[in-house]
C-alpha cells in the first residue's frame, strides 16, 4: 500500500470512532454537573498559570464572548476567579480556585469511571491492544504540542 494512502486510510477509519467515543462519553457523563468544555478549561488552568480569556477561547476554538460567558458561569460557581493581568492592566487573567480543582478532579473521575465501565466489557487481549495504542496516540498528540491532563 502507498505510504501516503496509509495515514489517510487510517485517519478515515479512526476519526469517526474518536467522534463516537467523545459523544458516548458526553452522554455517559451528562449528569456529572460539568461539561466537557468546562472540564478542559479547568484542566488547562490546573496544569499551569493563570490564563487570559483569549488564550482559553483559542484552546477551545470558541469566540471570546462565548468563553467570557463560560468563565462568568464558572466564576459564579466558585471554580475560577478573574484578576487584572499584572503585565497588561487592560487584560484579565483567569485562575482556578480550590473549588475548581475539586470540581475538575470529580469531573475527570466521572469520565474515567464511564470509560472504565466500557473498557470492562473488553477481554484482556483487547485491553492490551488498547494499551499498546496509547503510545501511538500520545505521539499523535505530542506532535501537535498538545498534552493530556494527567
Amino acid at each position: 500500500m502507498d505510504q501516503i494512502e496509509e495515514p489517510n486510510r487510517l485517519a478515515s477509519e479512526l476519526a469517526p470512532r474518536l467522534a463516537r467515543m467523545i459523544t458516548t462519553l458526553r452522554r455517559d457523563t451528562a449528569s456529572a454537573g460539568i461539561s466537557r468544555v468546562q472540564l478542559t478549561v479547568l484542566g488547562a488552568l490546573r496544569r499551569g498559570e493563570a490564563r487570559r480569556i483569549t488564550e482559553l477561547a483559542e484552546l477551545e476554538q470558541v469566540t471570546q464572548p462565548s468563553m467570557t460567558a463560560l468563565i462568568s458561569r464558572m466564576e459564579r460557581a466558585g471554580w475560577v476567579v478573574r484578576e487584572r493581568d499584572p503585565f497588561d492592566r487592560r487584560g484579565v487573567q483567569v485562575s482556578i480556585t480550590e473549588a475548581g480543582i475539586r470540581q475538575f478532579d470529580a469531573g475527570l473521575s466521572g469520565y474515567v469511571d464511564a470509560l472504565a465501565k466500557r473498557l470492562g466489557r473488553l477481554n484482556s487481549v483487547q485491553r492490551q491492544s488498547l494499551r499498546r495504542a496509547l503510545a501511538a496516540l500520545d505521539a499523535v498528540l505530542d506532535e501537535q504540542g498538545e498534552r493530556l491532563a494527567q
Side-chain angles (χ1 to χ4, degrees):
M1 179 166 289
D2 186 311
Q3 286 183 341
I4 294 174
E5 183 181 339
E6 182 59 26
N8 288 338
R9 181 172 175 209
L10 182 58
S12 70
E13 292 175 13
L14 185 59
R17 287 172 173 89
L18 291 174
R20 185 171 170 213
M21 179 176 272
I22 290 166
T23 300
T24 299
L25 284 174
R26 278 188 199 151
R27 186 183 64 240
D28 289 353
T29 59
S31 63
I34 186 168
S35 72
R36 184 206 53 84
V37 174
Q38 289 171 323
L39 189 66
T40 57
V41 167
L42 289 176
L45 293 172
R46 187 163 196 250
R47 285 189 306 274
E49 300 174 0
R51 297 214 184 174
R52 294 181 71 134
I53 290 178
T54 52
E55 290 177 75
L56 295 169
E58 288 173 12
L59 174 72
E60 282 301 314
Q61 297 184 341
V62 298
T63 65
Q64 186 172 345
S66 294
M67 184 55 66
T68 298
L70 178 72
I71 293 299
S72 293
R73 289 191 300 276
M74 292 171 68
E75 188 174 35
R76 283 192 299 277
W79 301 346
V80 299
V81 293
R82 291 186 230 207
E83 302 166 326
R84 286 273 170 226
D85 185 332
F87 302 107
D88 179 357
R89 301 299 294 168
R90 298 169 296 166
V92 173
Q93 290 186 330
V94 179
S95 299
I96 192 168
T97 64
E98 287 298 319
I101 290 171
R102 287 190 302 275
Q103 186 63 40
F104 172 79
D105 290 346
L108 185 60
S109 177
Y111 274 79
V112 168
D113 291 347
L115 187 54
K117 184 177 178 180
R118 289 184 173 274
L119 292 174
R121 299 176 191 167
L122 303 178
N123 64 43
S124 61
V125 172
Q126 291 169 318
R127 285 194 303 270
Q128 189 59 37
S129 293
L130 279 176
R131 179 168 297 289
R132 285 192 303 272
L134 293 176
L137 289 172
D138 285 343
V140 168
L141 293 173
D142 288 346
E143 194 172 46
Q144 298 300 316
E146 301 170 11
R147 295 295 305 182
L148 220 63
Q150 294 190 21

